[in-house]
Amino acid sequence: MEQTIDIDGVTLRYDTEGSGPRAVIVMHGWGCKASTVALLAQAAGGAGTTVYNLDLPGFGASTEPADVWGVERYTACIEEFVRRHGIERPSLIGHSFGGRIGILYASRNVVDKLILVDSAGIKPRRSLKYYVKVYSFKTAKRILPLLVGRRKAEEIVERMRGKAGSSDYAGASPKMRAIMSRVVNEDLTDRLPLIKAPTLLIWGEKDTATPMRDARTMERLIPDAGLVSYPEAGHYSFLDRPGQTQAVIRSFLNPDK
């Protein structure tokens, strides 16, 4: 069932499936929406379980934040969603960017179980090429306004970013580009040891966006974590291995069945 709720100036659209006291919240990755992770939501369903599959703010049919949110504001939004629905001890499933929210949420709230699928959250290692690009942008931002004026300079720098950035960045609105630039540099490594919930890590061994070394770091630092990885699968490992993923999630969430 499709529903909406207004939280922190954002209209959040979400799908609800099933009914019961046990709640599972599913959060997609950057540039995606609830339908992208429908397979994860289906795997989480079962008797006595309500599954909430969200379009995160700025994605799908949910509206964009008015401000440049970081992971903190996104997590606070989910915390308010949980409070408004009277949910206790939710289980969380987060893919990529959704995993960032899951990590921060689980590090400071009571969570039944946590599933991180090709999750972001560890600040990526940067190449020399990256730093050359970053400082080129910074130099352009300082010098161009003196040469062509502020408004024209902003247009030129934005085009530079669009050409040099990822497809996710190029396809985003100016507000979501600013949010992406902020969240991608937030390192949540120090939050991992604070997660008390049993945690399942699902990863593609060919993932280049959030590589296997991130999965191993999470497995090492989260006190009760186990890792399942798929050879030849990429950043959307759950789509590369749908049957295996559904079986693994069902077994983790319902170990007695």
Side-chain angles (χ1 to χ4, degrees):
M1 179 172 60
E2 182 175 340
Q3 300 180 68
T4 61
I5 186 172
D6 293 331
I7 300 175
D8 197 8
V10 169
T11 298
L12 188 72
R13 193 213 71 87
Y14 61 100
D15 296 319
T16 304
E17 295 293 338
S19 61
R22 184 178 184 184
V24 181
I25 298 174
V26 183
M27 298 172 289
H28 59 77
W30 191 272
C32 300
K33 54 186 176 180
S35 60
T36 310
V37 291
L39 181 143
L40 301 177
Q42 292 166 6
T49 301
T50 304
V51 180
Y52 302 90
N53 189 8
L54 314 182
D55 280 348
L56 294 170
F59 303 97
S62 293
T63 58
E64 292 185 1
D67 306 317
V68 179
W69 283 16
V71 179
E72 168 62 37
R73 290 285 293 277
Y74 273 95
T75 304
C77 179
I78 301 305
E79 289 170 335
E80 180 63 12
F81 180 91
V82 168
R83 189 189 70 79
R84 295 262 200 101
H85 285 81
I87 298 170
E88 297 183 4
R89 298 180 62 91
S91 290
L92 306 177
I93 302 178
H95 171 245
S96 193
F97 173 63
R100 286 184 183 273
I101 303 169
I103 288 169
L104 185 54
Y105 186 105
S107 74
R108 65 191 195 195
N109 294 281
V110 177
V111 169
D112 188 31
K113 293 184 178 180
L114 175 65
I115 301 175
L116 301 175
V117 185
D118 301 295
S119 176
I122 295 176
K123 192 172 181 177
R125 298 177 184 177
R126 303 299 194 183
S127 65
L128 177 61
K129 181 180 179 182
Y130 168 83
Y131 287 106
V132 169
K133 182 171 62 177
V134 167
Y135 285 106
S136 295
F137 289 148
K138 288 185 177 181
T139 301
K141 285 177 69 176
R142 290 174 181 171
I143 296 176
L144 283 173
L146 303 177
L147 301 177
V148 299
R150 183 178 60 83
R151 180 172 296 181
K152 187 65 175 179
E154 289 175 352
E155 293 175 358
I156 293 172
V157 171
E158 195 63 26
R159 285 200 298 270
M160 289 172 64
R161 283 176 172 156
K163 290 178 181 178
S166 67
S167 58
D168 283 340
Y169 185 89
S173 70
K175 176 61 62 61
M176 297 308 292
R177 287 182 181 183
I179 290 174
M180 183 180 183
S181 296
R182 179 174 179 177
V183 300
V184 76
N185 288 306
E186 294 188 49
D187 189 0
L188 301 175
T189 303
D190 64 336
R191 310 303 299 182
L192 299 174
L194 303 178
I195 296 173
K196 296 180 173 61
T199 301
L200 170 64
L201 307 170
I202 299 176
W203 234 267
E205 294 180 12
K206 298 295 185 181
D207 188 341
T208 56
T210 53
M212 279 297 299
R213 65 173 176 267
D214 291 1
R216 296 189 183 99
T217 297
M218 291 184 187
E219 183 184 26
R220 176 172 55 85
L221 293 180
I222 297 173
D224 185 8
L227 171 63
V228 174
S229 64
Y230 305 138
E232 305 305 320
H235 188 55
Y236 291 82
S237 61
F238 63 100
L239 297 179
D240 292 332
R241 299 288 188 276
Q244 289 172 269
T245 299
Q246 287 188 318
V248 168
I249 289 176
R250 286 169 181 158
S251 177
F252 178 69
L253 292 178
N254 304 284
D256 298 328
K257 292 185 179 180

